[in-house]
Amino acid sequence: MAMQDINQGKNTTTHTYQGLGPSLLMPTWLMIGIFLVLPVLMMLVYSFLTKEFRGGVIWEFSLNAYDQFIFDRGLFGDDPPKMEWTYIGIFWRSILQAGIATLLCLLIGFPTAWFIATRVGNSKSIWLFLITIPYWVNLLIRTISMKFLIRENGPANEFMMSIGLIDAPLQMINTNFAVQLGLFYSYLPFMVLPIYASVERYNFSLSEAAADLYSSQWVTLRKIIIPTVKPGIIAGCILVFVPSLGAFLAPDLLGGAKSFMIGSLIEDQFGGQAGNWPFGAAVSMILLSMVLIVLTFYARLQSRRAS
Amino acid sequence: MSLHETNKIAIDVDNVTKRYAEVTALKNVSLSIHDNEFFTLLGPSGCGKTTLLRTIAGFEGISEGDIRLFGDSIIDLPPNKRPVNTVFQQYALFPHMSVMENVAFGLRRQKVVDSEVRKRTGEVLELVQLSGFADRLPSQLSGGQQQRVALARALAPRPKVLLLDEPLSALDLKLRQDVRVELQQIQANTGITFVFVTHDQEEALTMSNRIAVMSAGIVQQVGTSRDIYESPENKFVADFIGDTNLIDVEIVETDGRQATCLLLGNVQLICNNAKGATKGRASLSVRPERLSLGDASNSSLSGTVSRLTYLGTDIHVAVNLEDGEVIDVRVQNSEDARIPDTGDIVGLNLELDAARVLMN
Amino acid sequence: MNAKIDIRRFPGFSFATYLCLFLLYTPLIIVMIYSFNDSKSIMLWGGFSFRWYEDVFWGLEAPKFKQAAINSLSIAIGAAVTATTIALSAAVAMLRAGHFRGKGASLGLISLPLMVPEIVTAVATLIFFSAIGFASGHATILVAHIVFCIPFAYLPIAARMQGIEASYEQAAQDLYATRFETFRLVLLPLVLPGVISGFLLAFIISLDDFIITNFVKGAGIETLPTAIFGSVKQGIKPNIMAISTLMLLVSVVIVTLSYFANRSGQGKK
């Protein structure tokens, strides 16, 4: 196999479909190139255009969208610029909430993944199946279910009151707590599955060797297991952090007006009355850049591991 | 054994070089494989034998040279246009097809008519004694049976040459020995040229008409089993085939066929088996079974027994010469055999006709 | 067995697992239970009933949801079929065609829809279609769905294909099969479980999508998620819980199918 991989001889016929690569990839290139790469480039262009008031743009170069993100120039745009903290604040809170969600998911997800991966035979398949189902269930429906559960007069409050834990319903819905819970709940399966895949490949004789060399279980966990399954942990963290950062459903359905996240801010520029396409495009570009930075960092880590 | 009434050449490998990005797998390899021959490519893993086979099959292109099949160059043909078939190392039986469908696969691709396909499929399955298994899936067969199906599948289209890529390596020892005999019979009966790749010298020596010993992408020697075992042309072949002692010697006089060798600076031997020898440093290859032990006082060569290894039929005796070189002697385990103890000083007797001078 | 000497066991891990499942399932199960609630109020239990399911199929909003379901299904089938075909072709190129220029970049391109946040894809697609003056509707949704379904279809197909040794195809070619015959008779049947998994994954990803659809759909057309979202804006009514329960069932059926597709493939090896 290794030999074939480096096989670059000019007269090579090793691969069954040698030479057909580019044509077989043509549909992929066309589809993703035209309908994703081109749109993203166009979005970049739009972020430098002038807004039109009922949505859309005027084809005139302008830095207003980015300027608006950072500076406040008053209602008519002619006051001296002051720092505008609203949008930076939204970004900061989004990063914080996505980070907390990632941490919480890791805290619950790692032991779960480990537990499932160490089951044997049929019971393992059943556990895995149970954890996979929520992964496939519509995110909208899951978020609605959560909304239903934690409403003011919802089952969660009712239950806690009936057992005497609280006297009056807790205000959970429309709070930052609800958004946090929603993010954690939405992306928890995304943490479990990649870690599970890593633990599956873990060679348990490493643990035995550690134990044989007088390591306690927790030391083994810290010094042997976690470093070994790290690729899975990092993959899981990215799979939770990235979508959390751009989440729209959880803040929109569970959070109130004060729990704006980046996703809601972007949606507002295209769906709501405040429609400002160049600003929406600019915010999207900033979000995309942040995600690409995270992913590049991840790719670096991976390639360093590989080499 | 098959008859060599014609010396027609089935495959002519002409100065073939195969380079990968960083390694050269075949270096100017030239070979002629005769029609109706059981020809074996033998060598350690990574020697290029499988690569050579795959260039003949068409799975690998070549960088330089030419490969001719009965006189016609085939290097520009894709594998499906080459009238040669392969038995793969792990058989590569199509797991989703029955035995029958596997065997019929090549015939169907050649657009052979249905009735003929059935007839020939039946014939080859009978040849490999699997007539009752036509409807089984490969996963329902034992390893030995899978191996036969792979053979039947490759034979069904009646290829001009059959290529076998270590086909016995996945079988257990007992089965392997049975299949060897069978393979030879099938080769003799069908008259198809077999090109057989193996790293197992016993397999090669017992089955082949001729063997090409390969190492590091180079053909070291081509010859019959006897040629290769008894007259190795270089140190690699001598060392790789069977066990041998390679003793450092100095050639003091030679006429290119016979040589006078100096051992340890003082023991003089005259070897008749010294083709291509020149004056200077060389090695003397002596098989352990061609050495015997005697009294130190009666032999010109003596040493100290350093280790005895019991092997059932034989006993290996390691004798240290005075310069530290270790010589292996194989003593037959019989009633009257004289087995020394470690530490004994013994004499070594060489059968000079079986000793071969090899240049460094 | 003495649990203390089991090196795989960590105290508290089983508790975390139960907690994880509890958190994941409680909201879903509660909604399922309440979807059978006879009471018009969603707060009080008024006895077991199928009335909200009847309402979904024959009630006031039934035509709207029916149309939305038809749209969702037709788009999901179209997107999954197209994306799976494209992904299969891409997998053959990436895993069976050796080296060629642009191979590394292609892998990046295939996974690009996974890397770009959904909302960014949504914005970009909206801007693109509006800029080229393409009217929003069925076609725009379908195109957008095909694009982000490609990597989801690709992953299981490529994973499967990677596990198939090249020697099967070499054997086929050795036995006089053309490249197309090799694909049709050997590679395709062997990779089929992966293709089915990829198709199902793409299908459900398309069926579930809300954000991108919401951006590119235009005014006249709804899919199930956008229709449900519109409804929920006015508060969660019991019929929404009934629809949710039905969609949940669809998901469970599809996971089960994909699970068995994968298993049947492994058994044959």
Side-chain angles (χ1 to χ4, degrees):
Chain A
M1 275 319 279
M3 274 248 180
Q4 284 171 30
D5 285 341
I6 55 160
N7 184 353
Q8 283 175 315
K10 54 179 175 167
N11 245 325
T12 291
T13 47
T14 314
H15 298 277
T16 315
Y17 303 99
Q18 191 78 36
L20 293 183
S23 31
L24 286 169
L25 275 170
M26 197 46 86
T28 312
W29 276 94
L30 288 177
M31 217 49 214
I32 298 181
I34 296 177
F35 296 110
L36 186 59
V37 177
L38 201 58
V40 167
L41 294 177
M42 210 161 248
M43 184 176 82
L44 179 64
V45 173
Y46 264 50
S47 71
F48 290 105
L49 295 179
T50 308
K51 76 168 173 178
E52 227 222 294
F53 277 92
R54 277 157 308 164
V57 286
I58 302 166
W59 282 84
E60 218 170 84
F61 178 80
S62 155
L63 282 172
N64 276 348
Y66 292 96
D67 186 81
Q68 184 187 349
F69 189 82
I70 307 168
F71 298 115
D72 179 6
R73 295 177 192 269
L75 193 55
F76 302 102
D78 44 13
D79 293 1
K82 284 183 296 183
M83 262 321 260
E84 165 68 79
W85 291 107
T86 318
Y87 304 121
I88 296 171
I90 289 173
F91 264 74
W92 172 238
R93 200 177 41 248
S94 298
I95 295 170
L96 200 67
Q97 292 207 303
I100 294 173
T102 309
L103 213 64
L104 289 175
C105 285
L106 182 60
L107 230 53
I108 294 281
F110 179 81
T112 304
W114 179 272
F115 183 79
I116 295 175
T118 52
R119 298 303 93 194
V120 282
N122 248 348
S123 104
K124 184 197 231 163
S125 324
I126 292 167
W127 280 107
L128 194 61
F129 190 68
L130 282 176
I131 216 82
T132 321
I133 286 176
Y135 187 81
W136 290 60
V137 170
N138 195 322
L139 188 59
L140 175 65
I141 285 173
R142 294 177 62 216
T143 313
I144 291 173
S145 306
M146 185 53 93
K147 185 184 173 79
F148 177 74
L149 181 69
I150 61 170
R151 270 170 331 153
E152 191 158 359
N153 295 310
N157 269 322
E158 261 177 46
F159 175 74
M160 286 192 288
M161 271 156 66
S162 74
I163 60 163
L165 204 66
I166 48 172
D167 298 327
L170 279 178
Q171 172 69 41
M172 290 186 281
I173 198 79
N174 297 342
T175 61
N176 274 333
F177 166 76
V179 177
Q180 192 64 72
L181 181 66
L183 291 177
F184 162 68
Y185 167 72
S186 297
Y187 302 114
L188 180 54
F190 290 56
M191 180 66 84
V192 178
L193 293 178
I195 299 181
Y196 166 81
S198 254
V199 176
E200 267 272 275
R201 285 193 298 269
Y202 177 72
N203 179 359
F204 284 97
S205 46
L206 293 182
S207 286
E208 285 170 349
D212 186 52
L213 297 164
Y214 317 107
S215 152
S216 80
Q217 267 207 307
W218 296 103
V219 173
T220 304
L221 181 68
R222 218 178 60 231
K223 299 258 181 197
I224 311 290
I225 296 170
I226 290 180
T228 315
V229 302
K230 209 158 149 203
I233 293 177
I234 293 173
C237 288
I238 282 178
L239 283 179
V240 173
F241 184 78
V242 168
S244 294
L245 199 58
F248 167 71
L249 285 173
D252 193 78
L253 289 172
L254 301 173
K258 279 185 245 155
S259 314
F260 242 52
M261 283 180 68
I262 303 173
S264 341
L265 178 63
I266 294 173
E267 207 268 351
D268 239 30
Q269 309 310 317
F270 295 92
Q273 303 84 347
N276 181 344
W277 283 33
F279 184 60
V283 176
S284 301
M285 275 320 296
I286 296 169
L287 171 62
L288 181 60
S289 320
M290 282 168 44
V291 168
L292 290 182
I293 288 168
V294 171
L295 291 176
T296 316
F297 196 69
Y298 172 63
R300 280 266 181 79
L301 224 71
Q302 284 254 311
S303 61
R304 202 185 316 152
R305 186 175 292 278
S307 66
Chain B
M1 284 287 132
S2 58
L3 303 167
H4 287 273
E5 70 266 47
T6 61
N7 252 0
K8 219 155 82 177
I9 295 199
I11 293 180
D12 194 8
V13 177
D14 185 3
N15 219 6
V16 165
T17 296
K18 166 76 181 172
R19 273 186 292 271
Y20 292 107
E22 278 158 25
V23 279
T24 305
L26 298 173
K27 291 171 199 155
N28 303 317
V29 169
S30 289
L31 276 177
S32 291
I33 299 168
H34 300 150
D35 193 17
N36 203 4
E37 180 173 42
F38 198 122
F39 191 89
T40 298
L41 299 172
L42 173 66
S45 61
C47 72
K49 57 190 191 300
T50 293
T51 305
L52 179 58
L53 193 81
R54 291 169 62 85
T55 60
I56 298 171
F59 305 136
E60 309 273 353
I62 57 175
S63 313
E64 280 160 38
D66 196 8
I67 299 173
R68 285 180 292 272
L69 184 70
F70 291 98
D72 303 318
S73 172
I74 53 169
I75 54 169
D76 291 329
L77 295 178
N80 59 331
K81 299 264 166 62
R82 300 190 187 191
V84 296
N85 290 136
T86 308
V87 177
F88 289 81
Q89 188 170 13
Q90 302 294 335
Y91 316 138
L93 297 176
F94 305 127
H96 57 297
M97 296 182 193
S98 69
V99 167
M100 167 79 99
E101 287 167 327
N102 263 287
V103 176
F105 190 92
L107 298 171
R108 295 211 184 278
R109 302 286 82 69
Q110 290 180 312
K111 308 277 184 283
V112 174
V113 292
D114 253 14
S115 55
E116 180 73 6
V117 171
R118 241 165 298 148
K119 192 178 130 241
R120 276 165 66 178
T121 311
E123 279 169 14
V124 278
L125 280 179
E126 199 163 323
L127 184 70
V128 298
Q129 299 161 29
L130 278 178
S131 298
F133 295 83
D135 295 325
R136 300 269 188 101
L137 285 175
S139 56
Q140 297 168 311
L141 301 177
S142 70
Q145 290 167 333
Q146 289 182 18
Q147 201 270 340
R148 286 153 195 260
V149 177
L151 184 63
R153 183 176 72 174
L155 283 173
R158 295 182 187 154
K160 290 186 171 168
V161 173
L162 189 74
L163 308 173
L164 302 102
D165 185 7
E166 307 220 17
L168 309 186
S169 62
L171 302 178
D172 58 50
L173 185 69
K174 188 80 192 68
L175 202 54
R176 223 180 310 173
Q177 285 166 348
D178 297 342
V179 177
R180 271 184 211 165
V181 179
E182 243 174 89
L183 267 182
Q184 267 182 303
Q185 276 168 355
I186 288 172
Q187 195 274 324
N189 292 343
T190 55
I192 293 173
T193 308
F194 276 30
V195 182
F196 186 92
V197 162
T198 184
H199 64 271
D200 181 330
Q201 41 165 307
E202 193 183 318
E203 223 165 81
L205 293 174
T206 52
M207 295 168 82
S208 326
N209 297 127
R210 285 194 309 147
I211 299 170
V213 181
M214 291 182 71
S215 138
I218 294 167
V219 174
Q220 303 286 349
Q221 186 174 357
V222 181
T224 62
S225 303
R226 205 188 174 94
D227 289 342
I228 282 176
Y229 189 79
E230 294 185 0
S231 313
E233 279 174 10
N234 57 41
K235 278 169 80 174
F236 175 82
V237 176
D239 201 32
F240 183 71
I241 309 288
D243 296 323
T244 199
N245 294 296
L246 288 171
I247 307 165
D248 287 336
V249 292
E250 177 149 11
I251 297 173
V252 289
E253 215 184 305
T254 178
D255 60 0
R257 323 184 95 259
Q258 204 179 51
T260 310
C261 309
L262 204 58
L263 241 96
L264 300 170
N266 56 16
V267 184
Q268 227 180 51
L269 299 169
I270 295 173
C271 298
N272 299 321
N273 210 342
K275 202 173 87 190
T278 51
K279 277 190 187 177
R281 301 203 64 78
S283 294
L284 193 61
S285 165
V286 193
R287 304 277 179 200
E289 69 270 20
R290 297 301 187 108
L291 280 158
S292 57
L293 300 177
D295 271 345
S297 49
N298 293 346
S299 340
S300 49
L301 199 60
S302 64
T304 319
V305 175
S306 62
R307 190 160 38 86
L308 293 169
T309 313
Y310 181 78
L311 287 176
T313 55
D314 302 309
I315 290 166
H316 271 201
V317 183
V319 181
N320 283 21
L321 299 185
E322 62 185 50
D323 67 343
E325 222 174 328
V326 183
I327 306 290
D328 252 334
V329 182
R330 191 176 295 182
V331 181
Q332 273 229 324
N333 191 7
S334 61
E335 201 69 47
D336 53 336
R338 230 193 64 190
I339 312 291
D341 279 328
T342 38
D344 286 359
I345 303 207
V346 292
L348 285 166
N349 302 321
L350 279 138
E351 290 176 38
L352 273 179
D353 287 345
R356 185 169 164 82
V357 175
L358 297 169
M359 297 313 295
N360 284 336
Chain C
M1 212 210 303
N2 186 349
K4 277 208 172 117
I5 60 163
D6 184 356
I7 48 148
R8 297 160 188 239
R9 228 185 84 105
F10 284 90
F13 276 28
S14 60
F15 173 75
T17 309
Y18 291 119
L19 183 65
C20 179
L21 286 185
F22 175 77
L23 288 168
L24 287 174
Y25 279 94
T26 309
L28 299 175
I29 290 168
I30 298 269
V31 162
M32 270 171 89
I33 293 171
Y34 274 84
S35 75
F36 295 104
N37 185 2
D38 194 33
S39 165
K40 205 173 173 88
S41 145
I42 48 167
M43 303 164 203
L44 302 164
W45 182 254
F48 184 86
S49 146
F50 280 112
R51 64 181 287 197
W52 303 116
Y53 290 89
E54 286 164 24
D55 188 69
V56 168
F57 286 103
W58 297 283
L60 220 58
E61 290 186 296
K64 182 178 103 186
F65 284 126
K66 210 174 276 174
Q67 188 54 48
I70 292 171
N71 291 339
S72 267
L73 277 178
S74 62
I75 289 166
I77 290 174
V81 168
T82 318
T84 309
T85 313
I86 293 174
L88 178 61
S89 158
V92 173
M94 297 303 289
L95 298 170
R96 290 299 201 259
H99 279 266
F100 51 87
R101 273 186 61 185
K103 189 173 173 181
S106 298
L107 190 62
L109 197 75
I110 293 167
S111 41
L112 192 65
L114 290 178
M115 298 192 285
V116 179
E118 241 189 312
I119 192 129
V120 176
T121 307
V123 167
T125 315
L126 170 68
I127 287 176
F128 175 74
F129 283 127
S130 116
I132 62 170
F134 200 87
S136 301
H138 226 99
T140 50
I141 304 177
L142 182 64
V143 166
H145 281 211
I146 292 170
V147 169
F148 70 72
C149 282
I150 290 173
F152 287 99
Y154 178 82
L155 291 175
I157 294 175
R160 178 92 200 158
M161 203 178 283
Q162 230 152 18
I164 300 169
E165 276 179 56
S167 62
Y168 292 120
E169 288 149 86
Q170 284 168 359
Q173 288 200 287
D174 184 57
L175 295 161
Y176 314 108
T178 62
R179 297 212 274 196
F180 183 68
E181 282 173 324
T182 304
F183 174 74
R184 187 169 58 89
L185 298 170
V186 176
L187 186 59
L188 186 60
L190 292 178
V191 83
L192 198 60
V195 174
I196 293 171
S197 277
F199 172 83
L200 291 173
L201 194 54
F203 178 79
I204 202 153
I205 291 289
S206 162
L207 203 62
D208 283 358
D209 177 72
F210 166 74
I211 295 174
I212 294 172
T213 313
N214 193 39
F215 269 74
V216 302
K217 74 185 171 60
I221 181 169
E222 298 284 352
T223 63
L224 265 184
T226 63
I228 292 171
F229 184 80
S231 258
V232 171
K233 277 286 164 186
Q234 287 112 48
I236 307 174
K237 281 174 286 176
N239 62 342
I240 293 298
M241 290 193 263
I243 293 184
S244 300
T245 306
L246 290 172
M247 288 187 73
L248 218 142
L249 273 178
V250 171
S251 303
V252 173
V253 167
I254 290 183
V255 192
T256 315
L257 282 178
S258 131
Y259 179 75
F260 281 110
N262 264 327
R263 233 164 100 136
S264 78
Q266 276 160 12
K268 259 186 182 171
K269 265 196 136 176

